[in-house]
Amino acid sequence: MTIDIEQPEALLAYLRATGRVGAAEQPAIRTLGGGVSNRVVLVERPSGEAWVLKQALRRLRVPVEWYSSPERIHCEALALRWLAQLTPAGTITPLVFEDPAQFLLAMRAAPEPHTAWKAALLAGQVDAAYVEQYGSILATLQRNSFLRAGELAPLFNDRSFFETLRIEPYYVYTWTQLPATGAFYDALISETRTRRQVLVHGDYSPKNVLIRAGRLILIDHETAHFGDPAFDPGFALAHLLGKANHVAEGRDALLGAAVHFWRCYSEGLGAVPWLNGLEARATRHALGTLLARVAGRSTLPYLTPQQRQAQQAAAFELIRQPPGTVAALAEQFARLIAAHERALI
């Protein structure tokens, strides 16, 4: 029988029965919000040790129907073990245990105090040092995983969770809602499915970044797979540009952050053999994600209806002739957003 970890009594009984806490131990248990694909609970033990437990959901918590096998929890556990080796020290919270039968895992909680980078960006607070780390961490992950492709490719060969959590709900579903985007998404999907070059995080977004003592900590790794190196930077760029759409007073800083992120990331890669054409492909993934976050299964909750319209119109216009560089993407996206805003006055 599968337990529900958001029920404190059931979770405590499970932890005691499996010997993961003492029979008389009384840890503090608190549900954490913000995710749509997992139950997430903080367990604080009397010893001072703290864990975050995640339990994968079969039906995701969004208004439209969206399903993915909860067996993806094993993918995240595997990613936790390997990402710690492939990224700078302290970037990944250590895995504590995995229980495939209950579709759950526990990881060490990020040390307190820490803050969510997404919240800072939405408040218009852009720190260049964090942007540089964001680019450098991704470059380090891709460079190191490329060098260890022989080990990693077989381990992360299963792309089914990437398909059910990214390709279908973001690209395919948006295509069904906006049929005129078909040629763009068809080419983007086909290209992405054929590439097997680096370990892809699959959810490289500021919402999955915590800040602790000036350092970035990455969380949420359930879509990790061996695949297309253009996906993660494109996904990251889309979230920076989406926030630039939302935060008018911080727009220039957020647009600059997108360009700076790309510069730090691309410089950190060095002379990898798959660099040719990477920037143009990343801008296409950014556009595909920007459109999907207003017309796909998982929409950005912080955008107003007017901002959703502006983002859809801008991305729709740009996919007709995608910019070849991130700087051009940022400039043209900003111009189209501003034009839409002026039209509403």
Side-chain angles (χ1 to χ4, degrees):
M1 179 178 176
T2 303
I3 65 164
D4 177 350
I5 67 168
E6 290 180 347
Q7 303 301 315
E9 292 183 2
L11 176 56
L12 181 56
Y14 162 80
L15 292 173
R16 287 174 173 169
T18 55
R20 293 187 169 109
V21 303
E25 187 175 333
Q26 289 287 345
I29 297 175
R30 175 164 56 92
T31 299
L32 302 177
V36 301
S37 61
N38 297 275
R39 299 184 180 110
V40 186
V41 174
L42 177 66
V43 175
E44 297 174 296
R45 305 183 67 186
S47 64
E49 186 176 13
W51 303 338
V52 172
L53 270 67
K54 295 183 67 174
Q55 186 175 42
L57 296 169
R58 186 176 301 277
R59 189 191 192 282
L60 279 66
R61 291 166 167 169
V62 294
V64 298
E65 288 192 356
W66 183 3
Y67 296 91
S68 179
S69 170
E71 292 177 1
R72 65 184 182 275
I73 201 71
H74 176 66
C75 177
E76 180 152 16
L78 186 65
L80 281 166
R81 295 183 179 100
W82 277 95
L83 287 169
Q85 303 177 48
L86 300 168
T87 59
T91 302
I92 305 299
T93 53
L95 180 69
V96 178
F97 68 83
E98 175 191 5
D99 186 341
Q102 291 291 339
F103 308 118
L104 69 82
L105 61 75
M107 70 191 86
R108 193 74 53 83
E112 295 287 356
H114 62 258
T115 58
W117 194 33
K118 174 185 174 181
L121 293 175
L122 286 174
Q125 300 166 8
V126 180
D127 188 320
Y130 297 149
V131 177
E132 290 166 11
Q133 283 187 56
Y134 194 47
S136 177
I137 289 170
L138 182 57
T140 301
L141 166 60
Q142 291 195 347
R143 190 178 62 248
N144 287 342
S145 63
F146 174 74
L147 293 173
R148 301 180 67 173
E151 299 169 84
L152 293 168
L155 291 172
F156 290 92
N157 187 53
D158 185 353
R159 294 161 61 100
S160 60
F161 307 125
F162 179 64
E163 290 283 337
T164 58
L165 292 173
R166 289 294 172 268
I167 296 296
E168 192 284 329
Y170 280 64
Y171 291 175
V172 176
Y173 185 82
T174 303
W175 175 354
T176 67
Q177 301 305 296
L178 302 169
T181 65
F184 171 81
Y185 277 120
D186 186 35
L188 187 63
I189 293 167
S190 296
E191 188 174 49
T192 300
R193 284 173 172 164
T194 60
R195 293 183 179 271
R196 301 282 197 281
Q197 293 166 307
V198 300
L199 184 60
V200 178
H201 184 272
D203 203 0
Y204 202 71
S205 161
K207 77 175 178 63
N208 292 328
V209 176
L210 304 176
I211 301 170
R212 158 73 177 172
R215 298 291 302 276
L216 303 189
I217 299 172
L218 299 187
I219 58 174
D220 286 354
H221 320 293
E222 62 186 348
T223 49
H225 64 281
F226 212 77
D228 181 4
F231 184 83
D232 278 343
F235 197 76
L237 287 165
H239 285 83
L240 292 171
L241 294 175
K243 289 170 179 60
N245 174 23
H246 179 62
V247 187
E249 64 277 12
R251 181 166 298 162
D252 289 345
L254 285 159
L255 292 168
V259 176
H260 190 45
F261 159 75
W262 176 263
R263 183 183 306 116
C264 296
Y265 159 72
S266 57
E267 290 176 355
L269 287 176
V272 292
W274 36 266
L275 194 60
N276 185 41
L278 179 66
E279 186 170 12
R281 291 191 297 107
T283 63
R284 294 199 294 276
H285 277 295
L287 287 171
T289 303
L290 280 166
L291 197 53
R293 295 316 304 267
V294 293
R297 293 190 189 274
S298 178
T299 57
L300 291 174
Y302 52 78
L303 295 180
T304 67
Q306 293 78 15
Q307 289 168 346
R308 290 191 185 97
Q309 292 174 14
Q311 185 157 309
Q312 179 168 319
F316 194 84
E317 174 68 23
L318 290 172
I319 67 171
R320 297 177 181 177
Q321 190 171 352
T325 68
V326 171
L329 170 65
E331 186 277 326
Q332 293 177 39
F333 180 75
R335 174 173 50 79
L336 291 167
I337 291 294
H340 192 277
E341 290 173 338
R342 287 193 299 270
L344 295 175
I345 298 174

